[in-house]
Amino acid sequence: MGKPPAERSMVRYDFAARRLYIEVPLDGGTRVELNPAQGHYLRNVLRLSDGAEILVFNGRDGEWRARLSGGSRNFALVALTQTRRQEQGADLHYLFAPLKHARLDYMVQKAVEMGAGLLQPVLTRRTQTERVNIERMRANAIEAAEQCGILAVPGVVEPLKLECVLAAWPQERLLIFCDEDADCADPLTALYAAKRGTPLAVLVGPEGGFDPSERTAILADPSVIRVSLGPRILRADTAAVAILALVQAVLGDWRS
Amino acid sequence: MGKPPAERSMVRYDFAARRLYIEVPLDGGTRVELNPAQGHYLRNVLRLSDGAEILVFNGRDGEWRARLSGGSRNFALVALTQTRRQEQGADLHYLFAPLKHARLDYMVQKAVEMGAGLLQPVLTRRTQTERVNIERMRANAIEAAEQCGILAVPGVVEPLKLECVLAAWPQERLLIFCDEDADCADPLTALYAAKRGTPLAVLVGPEGGFDPSERTAILADPSVIRVSLGPRILRADTAAVAILALVQAVLGDWRS
C-alpha cells in the first residue's frame, strides 16, 4: 500500500459508499439517464432520493461522484467530480471450468475481487456444465466491482474448449496450472522462478480434475508452470481464491 | 505432495466416494446405528441401499470403509477396513468476525478446506451479527470435511469478545493480523520471517474493518504480525481463503 493516510482514508470511505456501474462515457457535468432497473435499484433497494450522491464508474473513465436527480419515473444522475483516476486491470487471465449456478456466481465475484483482468471459461471433458450464461457472469463481475471499488471491470469472454485454448496459446504468457498431481510441493518457489511483469494466466480445472490426456496436453505447453495447492483437495471456487492470492503476492500487486 | 502414485490414486478415488461423519468410536467390525437424519440422507439423498459401501470417519479414528445394512426403519452400518489413518489437524486457529447467514456458512466451509484447525468467532465493534449459531457452524464444518476428505474436523468454539481474546493470548502463538492499513506491502516477506512449527492463528476482521482502538490493541500484542492483502478491499470470506493460502504456502503443509 504505502499510500499517504489521506488517500487511504478516502479509499476506505469509498468502500462504504454506494457505487454504480454505468455504460456511458463519464466527464464533469455528464448527465446520465438511468434505465428502469438502475432507477429501481437506487430508489427502492438503496432508498436514495433526489439530490443523493453516489459514486459511478464505467470501467474506462475513473470513478466520479454523481448526484441523483429526477422524479419517480425519470431517474438520472449528473457526474460532479472525479474521485479516482481510472486504474488498469492486471494482465492476469483467469481460466476456469464453469461450475453450476451459485458456485459459478461466487467464483466469478471472487476472481474479480482478487484482481483478475479477464475471465475465460474453458470447457473440459469433466466440466460440470456445457451451457454457460455469459451475461450472468458479466453481471456478477460488475456487482463485485461495485461492491469492492474495482474500477477496471474484467471482461468475460466466450467459453473455449481446452484444446482450442492450448492451440492458440501465446508463448509469452505464463500459464499457471493448478495441478493436483504436481510433484512440486512448494507452489511459491515455482512462482518466484517466474519473471515479474510477464503476462500471466491461471488455469483451475473442473471439480473432477482434468482427464489424463488433457493434463498431458497442458504439460506439453512450454509456457506452463505447475503448482500444487497443498495436500487437501479444494473445491474449484476455493482454489480460485487460493491460487490468485499466491500469484498476486509473488508476481502481482500485493507486492510493492 | 510427493506421494507414491498408488496412494495418490487412492486419495483421488476417495474424493469421489460418499463420506459420512459419525460421532461414535470406529474400529473393524464396529456396528453403528444411524439416526433418522443420517438414514434419510443415505437412503433418499444419496439413494444408497442395503449392502452399499461408503466411507465413514469420526475425526479421531481415521477413515473406514463401511457397509450399509438394515431395512427402511433401522439403518445401520458396519465398519470393515480402515482406508486412511487419522491425520492431525494443523495448529492453526482461524479467528473471524461472524458474518450473516450464507456468507458465514461459506466462510466456515472454506476455512475447513484450507486446513484451519480451530474456528474461533470473535465479536468486534463492527461485527455484523451478535447472535452466532455455533451448531450451524459445526454442521458446516462437518459438511466441508465430508466433501473434501478431511479427517481432522476443526472444532468451532464459543464466540469471544476481541478484548477477551487479546487478554488471554498465549505469547507463543503467532497472531497473523490481516490489516487493511498495514504498511507492509509484501505479506509473504512478513510470513517468511516467522519460524515454521510455531503455533499459528489468523485474524480477519468484520467487513467494516476494525475500530481504531481495536487496531491499537491488536498491534500492541507482541505476538502479532501484520499483513496486508493487497490494494483492493476484499470481502471477509475472500480474505479468509487468501490469508490461509499464504499461511499454508509459507508456514503450513503446502510446503514440504
Side-chain angles (χ1 to χ4, degrees):
Chain A
M1 323 259 276
K3 285 175 246 160
E7 189 185 344
R8 199 185 281 151
S9 320
M10 189 196 76
V11 171
R12 300 198 71 184
Y13 165 73
D14 279 357
F15 183 52
R18 310 303 191 177
R19 273 198 199 77
L20 186 69
Y21 173 84
I22 57 176
E23 299 276 353
V24 300
L26 279 168
D27 204 347
T30 302
R31 181 182 164 89
V32 183
E33 303 294 333
L34 299 180
N35 65 38
Q38 290 169 324
H40 168 77
Y41 176 71
L42 295 177
R43 198 163 36 233
N44 301 323
V45 181
L46 299 185
R47 300 184 170 276
L48 301 176
S49 53
D50 208 20
E53 290 187 359
I54 61 166
L55 297 170
V56 295
F57 65 109
N58 60 11
R60 300 181 302 276
D61 300 321
E63 181 187 73
W64 291 75
R65 196 161 52 82
R67 183 173 297 136
L68 296 178
S69 72
S72 59
R73 290 266 159 205
N74 305 326
F75 229 32
L77 50 82
V78 178
L80 302 175
T81 51
Q82 195 181 46
T83 47
R84 285 196 285 160
R85 278 194 297 273
Q86 182 60 34
E87 57 198 26
Q88 294 307 311
D91 192 0
L92 169 57
H93 297 182
Y94 181 61
L95 280 64
F96 59 99
L99 306 173
K100 286 185 186 166
H101 315 302
R103 296 188 81 84
L104 179 58
D105 294 346
Y106 201 92
M107 188 170 71
V108 167
Q109 293 169 20
K110 294 304 166 206
V112 173
E113 281 181 61
M114 295 299 297
L118 182 84
L119 305 184
Q120 168 71 67
V122 177
L123 304 176
T124 71
R125 302 240 170 110
R126 296 180 188 153
T127 296
Q128 290 177 293
T129 173
E130 290 292 314
R131 291 180 54 225
V132 181
N133 186 338
I134 299 281
E135 284 316 310
R136 182 169 173 153
M137 284 198 269
R138 288 192 178 132
N140 273 296
I142 287 170
E143 188 186 316
E146 287 174 338
Q147 287 184 348
C148 293
I150 291 168
L151 299 185
V153 185
V156 182
V157 296
E158 291 291 330
L160 285 173
K161 286 189 177 177
L162 176 64
E163 61 200 73
C164 302
V165 170
L166 293 175
W169 195 261
Q171 272 221 315
E172 69 279 8
R173 186 174 295 276
L174 212 59
L175 180 56
I176 298 160
F177 167 40
C178 297
D179 186 359
E180 290 169 7
D181 285 337
D183 289 325
C184 164
D186 187 348
L188 292 175
T189 299
L191 295 175
Y192 276 116
K195 201 172 144 207
R196 287 186 81 181
T198 308
L200 299 172
V202 160
L203 171 62
V204 173
E207 302 224 319
F210 288 98
D211 175 282
S213 66
E214 292 175 330
R215 289 187 64 252
T216 305
I218 296 166
L219 292 171
D221 191 304
S223 310
V224 165
I225 293 184
R226 299 162 84 176
V227 295
S228 142
L229 297 176
R232 286 167 296 281
I233 294 185
L234 302 179
R235 303 210 63 165
D237 49 352
T238 315
V241 178
I243 184 62
L244 289 169
L246 301 188
V247 169
Q248 290 288 23
V250 175
L251 296 168
D253 63 11
W254 289 19
R255 188 177 163 197
S256 59
Chain B
M1 326 258 276
K3 286 175 245 159
E7 190 186 341
R8 197 184 283 150
S9 321
M10 188 196 77
V11 173
R12 301 199 69 183
Y13 165 73
D14 279 356
F15 183 54
R18 312 302 191 178
R19 272 198 200 78
L20 186 69
Y21 174 84
I22 56 176
E23 299 276 353
V24 300
L26 279 168
D27 203 347
T30 301
R31 182 182 164 90
V32 183
E33 304 293 333
L34 299 180
N35 65 37
Q38 291 169 324
H40 168 77
Y41 177 71
L42 295 177
R43 199 163 36 234
N44 302 324
V45 180
L46 299 186
R47 300 185 171 274
L48 301 176
S49 53
D50 208 20
E53 290 187 0
I54 61 166
L55 297 170
V56 296
F57 65 108
N58 60 11
R60 300 182 303 276
D61 299 323
E63 181 186 74
W64 292 75
R65 195 160 53 82
R67 183 174 296 137
L68 297 178
S69 71
S72 59
R73 288 267 160 205
N74 305 324
F75 228 34
L77 51 81
V78 178
L80 304 173
T81 52
Q82 195 182 45
T83 48
R84 284 196 286 160
R85 280 193 295 271
Q86 183 60 36
E87 58 197 26
Q88 295 306 313
D91 193 0
L92 168 57
H93 297 181
Y94 181 61
L95 280 64
F96 58 99
L99 307 174
K100 286 186 185 166
H101 315 303
R103 296 188 81 84
L104 179 59
D105 293 348
Y106 200 91
M107 189 171 69
V108 167
Q109 292 169 19
K110 294 306 167 207
V112 174
E113 282 181 61
M114 294 301 295
L118 182 83
L119 305 184
Q120 169 71 68
V122 177
L123 304 177
T124 72
R125 302 241 170 108
R126 296 179 188 154
T127 295
Q128 290 177 292
T129 172
E130 290 291 314
R131 291 180 55 225
V132 180
N133 185 338
I134 300 281
E135 285 315 310
R136 181 169 172 155
M137 284 198 269
R138 288 193 177 130
N140 273 297
I142 288 170
E143 188 185 316
E146 287 175 337
Q147 287 184 348
C148 294
I150 290 167
L151 299 185
V153 185
V156 183
V157 296
E158 290 292 329
L160 285 173
K161 286 189 175 175
L162 177 64
E163 61 200 71
C164 303
V165 170
L166 293 175
W169 195 260
Q171 272 221 314
E172 70 279 8
R173 185 174 295 277
L174 212 60
L175 180 55
I176 299 160
F177 167 41
C178 297
D179 185 0
E180 290 169 6
D181 285 337
D183 290 325
C184 164
D186 187 347
L188 292 175
T189 299
L191 295 175
Y192 275 116
K195 203 173 144 207
R196 287 185 80 182
T198 308
L200 299 172
V202 160
L203 171 62
V204 173
E207 302 225 319
F210 288 98
D211 175 280
S213 67
E214 291 175 328
R215 288 188 63 253
T216 305
I218 295 167
L219 293 171
D221 191 304
S223 310
V224 165
I225 293 184
R226 299 163 82 175
V227 295
S228 142
L229 297 177
R232 285 168 296 283
I233 294 185
L234 302 179
R235 303 210 63 165
D237 49 351
T238 316
V241 178
I243 184 60
L244 290 170
L246 301 187
V247 169
Q248 291 287 23
V250 175
L251 296 167
D253 64 9
W254 289 19
R255 188 175 164 200
S256 58

